[in-house]
Amino acid sequence: MRSLRGIPRRLLHMMLVCMLAVPMMAVSPAVADDKSFTGGPIPDDTPAYLPNDHTPQAIRFSAEGLEPDTEYEVKVRLSPEPEPASHLNRGFTWNPDSEEWVPNRGPAWGVGNYPTEETDGDGEINRSDWIFFKFANHNDSGTYYIIVTLNAAGPGGAQNCSDPIEVTVLDMETEGTHIHPGNHDATDPRLSSDGTGRRVAAVPEGADDSRDRIKSLTLCEPNFVDSDSDGVVDNEDYGWPEEEALGAYRLAVPATATVDVYVGRDKKVHGHELTAPDEDIALGADDTTAPTPPTELDAVSDVTGVSLEWETATDENGVDHYRVYRWFEVDAVEWTAPWMLVGETEDTSFEDTTAEPGTEYHYHVRAVDEASNVSARSNVVSGMFVEPPTITVRLHDRTRFSTAVAIAEEGFPGWEGVTDVVIASGDDRAAADPL
């Protein structure tokens, strides 16, 4: 019999092969599995909230199913989806070797751009070193996923974790606030075995321990990280003299949270209630109320810089000084420029003479009291350092006239080639002649 219900056997055989191929094609996610590893951020070493203002956070991760005894580069991605989302990713990862913040997109694998972790003989990383990262876009907030990506093979060899963790990114202007220690009782100057500051975590009031429902997580100073993004490691201003900053930290938490703060396994702050967004509160200080924000900030641009003036902030114990921040627009979708502290003053005015000529900057000002509580931001203004014109003066004979023609040619391109020009001035009138 050469057919089955009219279907030739050869055609039937081809159909059977195709039918078997269909489930094989449906297994295509297995290809994706080749680009992933088992593991991800460790829950009790991962914060539940991230600030959107470039403030660093720290995590540790685990991994298995990797090549044994192999060095892997590490990238922390922050994606609105459980998998990387290309231009929607918002993370930066700290590279302690180059001492640089590395964006999610752009830098190549395999050439030292990222921090590294090494697997053991079983191809596992049980608990990684601390990896610092930050959300780097002031305009975005909401639900994101922390995704750890590893790569030991260079381009095309990236593997994403199988277990990303969902977090809430806080809009720090309206939803979050910062906290820092207001006295030494809220710190612990002891160092970890690697010479860094100890683990510090903000948790809900009454949590069982420092690993229970973590709101914010970092390391005390020194953490060997450029936490304020000014290009210098461990020079951050916590409101104390630099030589006393050992054990200091800055965390970002929901604006209306009540938190305990642990340094290591020791509870240093008990049930501090926060009530307002966009401030930086000195935990443990006698005064934990921030000043009111400065108002009516105004900017005037000229050839000497950008001059700023504002109305006085108020504080029940008096304003100690003001901090002036600036930033600029960047040609990028994924990130915004961090706010840079450009100066401090006790006055209600400030002149920024360090701006790059021709670049438009944005500014806001914050008030600081004697206890180091920091107010919410003022209104935002913009200004540009106007570059003064270059004027060349020649006093002798035809050189002066040639310079005038050159300036004219530069300012009016249509003048090129015009040489029959007479320029005369003052006593030189008689000596003037066509050039």
Side-chain angles (χ1 to χ4, degrees):
M1 187 174 177
R2 296 182 54 82
S3 65
L4 180 63
R5 294 186 180 179
I7 302 176
R9 287 189 177 184
R10 180 174 296 178
L11 180 57
L12 184 64
H13 176 72
M14 293 176 62
M15 292 172 63
L16 182 60
V17 171
C18 291
M19 291 172 63
L20 290 173
V22 170
M24 292 176 64
M25 293 171 62
V27 183
S28 59
V31 176
D33 290 344
D34 292 339
K35 295 293 185 179
S36 67
F37 66 89
T38 300
I42 298 172
D44 61 5
D45 279 332
T46 300
Y49 296 90
L50 303 179
N52 71 343
D53 65 352
H54 286 258
T55 300
Q57 300 279 280
I59 61 168
R60 292 196 283 200
F61 68 91
S62 64
E64 57 184 68
L66 302 172
E67 293 295 324
D69 301 317
T70 301
E71 185 176 78
Y72 282 80
E73 291 185 309
V74 183
K75 177 192 293 187
V76 178
R77 306 178 195 255
L78 299 171
S79 169
E81 305 293 338
E83 59 278 329
S86 186
H87 66 282
L88 297 179
N89 294 336
R90 294 293 182 261
F92 273 60
T93 306
W94 175 250
N95 184 345
D97 294 326
S98 64
E99 296 188 344
E100 293 178 329
W101 284 107
V102 185
N104 276 179
R105 299 182 69 206
W109 293 103
V111 291
N113 285 320
Y114 300 96
T116 59
E117 287 287 327
E118 188 169 341
T119 58
D120 61 21
D122 296 322
E124 298 180 357
I125 300 171
N126 292 317
R127 190 180 290 269
S128 71
D129 290 333
W130 288 106
I131 304 295
F132 282 88
F133 67 103
K134 62 181 182 178
F135 191 94
N137 195 310
H138 298 103
N139 300 320
D140 295 332
S141 57
T143 299
Y144 278 77
Y145 293 83
I146 300 176
I147 302 171
V148 176
T149 302
L150 303 179
N151 192 326
Q159 302 180 59
N160 299 312
C161 67
S162 62
D163 302 314
I165 287 185
E166 180 179 325
V167 296
T168 299
V169 175
L170 300 169
D171 178 353
M172 294 304 289
E173 183 175 10
T174 61
E175 301 174 325
T177 200
H178 291 94
I179 53 178
H180 68 277
N183 59 37
H184 287 288
D185 292 337
T187 70
D188 190 333
R190 291 178 294 174
L191 300 180
S192 299
S193 59
D194 60 0
T196 61
R198 303 181 72 201
R199 178 186 190 275
V200 54
V203 301
E205 180 185 22
D208 291 339
D209 57 37
S210 67
R211 298 180 185 275
D212 184 14
R213 294 175 288 153
I214 301 166
K215 291 184 178 294
S216 186
L217 185 64
T218 189
L219 299 186
C220 295
E221 297 294 345
N223 58 18
F224 307 122
V225 174
D226 179 14
S227 298
D228 57 6
S229 301
D230 69 348
V232 182
V233 173
D234 285 350
N235 71 329
E236 290 75 32
D237 183 0
Y238 296 97
W240 303 356
E242 183 177 350
E243 63 273 12
E244 298 179 11
L246 187 67
Y249 52 83
R250 179 172 284 111
L251 297 170
V253 296
T256 57
T258 300
V259 297
D260 297 337
V261 176
Y262 284 82
V263 180
R265 296 188 180 277
D266 300 324
K267 186 186 293 186
K268 293 294 184 177
V269 176
H270 300 256
H272 187 95
E273 182 180 2
L274 300 160
T275 58
D278 200 31
E279 298 177 339
D280 190 353
I281 300 302
L283 302 184
D286 292 335
D287 172 14
T288 57
T289 301
T292 63
T295 58
E296 298 185 33
L297 176 63
D298 186 46
V300 176
S301 305
D302 57 32
V303 295
T304 62
V306 178
S307 298
L308 303 169
E309 293 186 351
W310 57 91
E311 292 297 317
T312 305
T314 60
D315 185 84
E316 60 183 11
N317 294 313
V319 172
D320 185 71
H321 64 278
Y322 297 91
R323 292 177 179 172
V324 179
Y325 293 87
R326 82 172 183 218
W327 67 100
F328 54 90
E329 299 296 332
V330 296
D331 187 19
V333 176
E334 297 86 359
W335 56 281
T336 56
W339 301 323
M340 306 301 296
L341 178 65
V342 293
E344 297 183 328
T345 178
E346 296 179 1
D347 300 322
T348 55
S349 62
F350 180 82
E351 184 167 10
D352 180 14
T353 59
T354 64
E356 185 72 22
T359 299
E360 183 179 43
Y361 291 93
H362 308 296
Y363 296 86
H364 72 239
V365 178
R366 297 176 184 263
V368 185
D369 65 20
E370 291 186 358
S372 75
N373 297 296
V374 183
S375 77
R377 72 196 76 178
S378 68
N379 58 299
V380 175
V381 296
S382 300
M384 180 185 297
F385 186 173
V386 181
E387 187 172 13
T390 300
I391 300 176
T392 304
V393 178
R394 303 296 186 200
L395 299 178
H396 299 289
D397 302 321
R398 294 166 59 125
T399 304
R400 176 161 60 101
F401 309 144
S402 300
T403 300
V405 172
I407 293 174
E409 288 179 343
E410 181 179 353
F412 304 92
W415 280 33
E416 285 101 333
V418 178
T419 57
D420 190 13
V421 178
V422 176
I423 302 177
S425 177
D427 296 337
D428 290 327
R429 185 176 302 141
D433 57 18
L435 297 176

